[in-house]
Amino acid sequence: MSRSRAASPAADLAPLIKLMQAGVPPARAAAELNRVLEKWKAELGEDDEPLQERLAGLAEQMASGIEEMHEGIAEASDKGKPTLRRILATHEAVLAVVRTAQGAD
């Protein structure tokens, strides 16, 4: 059954963002992003341009966030670094999935 109105990209990504903020294992976050990508592909059909626009925006946000995290880790106390590194690894895994999807046809 299809919905009469698709959720917004931001709403689709909300569960992923929560997982990333919680510092779940990278594979779990990547799996959630793959779920979102499949949903977007189904909603957008054959037109690849809207999907690529979404991916480009997401990649830009992820890259910016990763850069900020590197700065945060450098400034963090030793006690906080393991948690920040775990969250960073999750973000990097998600960005890798985005970049792979950008290259896929």
Side-chain angles (χ1 to χ4, degrees):
M1 292 181 205
S2 63
R3 291 187 273 175
S4 59
R5 186 171 165 219
S8 72
D12 292 337
L13 291 170
L16 173 64
I17 292 166
K18 288 180 183 178
L19 289 173
M20 290 170 48
Q21 289 171 339
V24 299
R28 173 66 183 100
E32 176 61 21
L33 177 58
N34 281 319
R35 185 195 66 77
V36 171
L37 292 175
E38 290 304 314
K39 181 178 188 228
W40 287 354
K41 288 175 187 175
E43 287 175 2
L44 299 171
E46 296 295 317
D47 189 0
D48 193 48
E49 188 174 337
L51 177 63
Q52 290 302 320
E53 288 174 6
R54 290 180 186 185
L55 291 172
L58 183 56
E60 185 177 320
Q61 289 176 351
M62 294 298 303
S64 175
I66 287 170
E67 185 177 316
E68 289 175 15
M69 276 188 253
H70 278 288
E71 293 170 9
I73 289 171
E75 296 171 4
S77 69
D78 288 342
K79 184 177 180 183
K81 286 184 182 185
T83 299
L84 292 174
R85 284 189 182 113
R86 185 176 66 245
I87 293 170
L88 174 62
T90 299
H91 280 68
E92 289 173 336
V94 169
L95 180 56
V97 171
V98 170
R99 288 191 171 142
T100 298
Q102 285 179 304
D105 286 295

